[in-house]
Amino acid sequence: NAGVTQTPKFQVLKTGQSMTLQCAQDMNHEYMSWYRQDPGMGLRLIHYSVGAGITDQGEVPNGYNVSRSTTEDFPLRLLSAAPSQTSVYFCASTPGWGGEQYFGPGTRLTVT
Amino acid sequence: RKEVEQDPGPFNVPEGATVAFNCTYSNSASQSFFWYRQDCRKEPKLLMSVYSSGNEDGRFTAQLNRASQYISLLIRDSKLSDSATYLCVVNNPPNNFNKFYFGSGTKLNVKP
């Protein structure tokens, strides 16, 4: 099993550009989440999904969209990148109720 | 008030020392509690779950105090390899048991 994979590993965007961060898992986990991590702030939940077709907002959803058309994939879309979105983005999946989260390696995004 | 609060440290300890971290949480309905370890520029990885009765895994002991709403992590006989950031994670029912909040992390430096 590859576990949770994320692409790209690094990305530089200009203000106003859009892009999609990809996340996939091959463990058949129902629950997936996106977090951003900024220095001194810990991980903050952006959006999460409890299954295909079901998503909900986390703490910091503004400027991001998600969809979940399959169990395996949970892409995160930045609609119009802003410098405040410079961060490290982690995707995670969870096999069951309130359980351990498995994280991808992260995407380091810089918006100039 | 933040959902989960931790002392950011750093805690600088010599090898062989015992060190303890605390973490407080705000949602009295929280059901799942975890400690994750994060190495520099890497994804978080589960260190241990925290059970109501407390639990131990080798040199690591985790405790939960529901009345005071805090969890703790005790590391005995610290090793150089224990140097990392330790993240406290709590779930957020009743809206969704797989919606997790992270503390900002406590940095541990173990010195020779």
Side-chain angles (χ1 to χ4, degrees):
Chain A
N1 285 353
V4 180
T5 57
Q6 290 184 240
T7 56
K9 283 188 167 43
F10 300 94
Q11 182 71 47
V12 179
L13 291 178
K14 293 188 188 306
T15 296
Q17 287 184 314
S18 62
M19 80 159 295
T20 299
L21 307 186
Q22 301 291 345
C23 173
Q25 52 94 7
D26 61 359
M27 298 174 282
N28 202 34
H29 290 172
E30 287 295 319
Y31 306 97
M32 298 185 73
S33 306
W34 274 104
Y35 296 89
R36 59 177 288 173
Q37 186 173 33
D38 302 303
M41 299 284 291
L43 277 76
R44 290 183 292 168
L45 183 65
I46 305 172
H47 285 285
Y48 64 102
S49 169
V50 300
I54 308 169
T55 64
D56 203 351
Q57 296 181 349
E59 298 174 81
V60 288
N62 292 343
Y64 307 95
N65 270 359
V66 291
S67 59
R68 183 101 179 269
S69 55
T70 67
T71 299
E72 293 77 22
D73 300 297
F74 190 40
L76 178 73
R77 280 181 288 278
L78 279 69
L79 309 173
S80 176
S84 60
Q85 293 179 305
T86 293
S87 189
V88 181
Y89 291 84
F90 289 105
C91 177
S93 71
T94 308
W97 184 97
E100 174 184 358
Q101 294 183 85
Y102 296 80
F103 285 85
T107 294
R108 283 166 175 74
L109 175 68
T110 301
V111 183
T112 61
Chain B
R1 182 185 172 187
K2 287 185 179 179
E3 297 283 343
V4 181
E5 300 208 52
Q6 293 182 251
D7 180 345
F11 285 63
N12 298 308
V13 303
E15 272 187 290
T18 295
V19 61
F21 311 137
N22 281 342
C23 163
T24 59
Y25 61 95
S26 62
N27 187 345
S28 60
S30 294
Q31 299 279 339
S32 300
F33 309 89
F34 306 90
W35 284 101
Y36 280 74
R37 172 193 168 123
Q38 186 175 29
D39 294 297
C40 188
R41 301 180 70 79
K42 297 284 193 182
E43 71 272 24
K45 291 187 177 175
L46 180 70
L47 178 67
M48 56 197 305
S49 303
V50 186
Y51 302 120
S52 297
S53 55
N55 47 299
E56 190 173 303
D57 183 2
R59 298 180 294 108
F60 299 85
T61 300
Q63 298 276 357
L64 167 63
N65 185 317
R66 285 193 182 274
S68 300
Q69 293 182 212
Y70 76 84
I71 66 173
S72 63
L73 177 68
L74 181 77
I75 305 176
R76 290 179 298 278
D77 189 23
S78 298
K79 312 288 186 196
L80 294 175
S81 57
D82 293 334
S83 296
T85 296
Y86 291 83
L87 304 170
C88 170
V89 182
V90 177
N91 78 333
N92 189 45
N95 295 329
N96 190 297
F97 286 89
N98 284 289
K99 187 174 180 181
F100 294 97
Y101 286 96
F102 281 70
S104 56
T106 298
K107 189 169 175 57
L108 172 65
N109 296 317
V110 181
K111 311 285 189 184

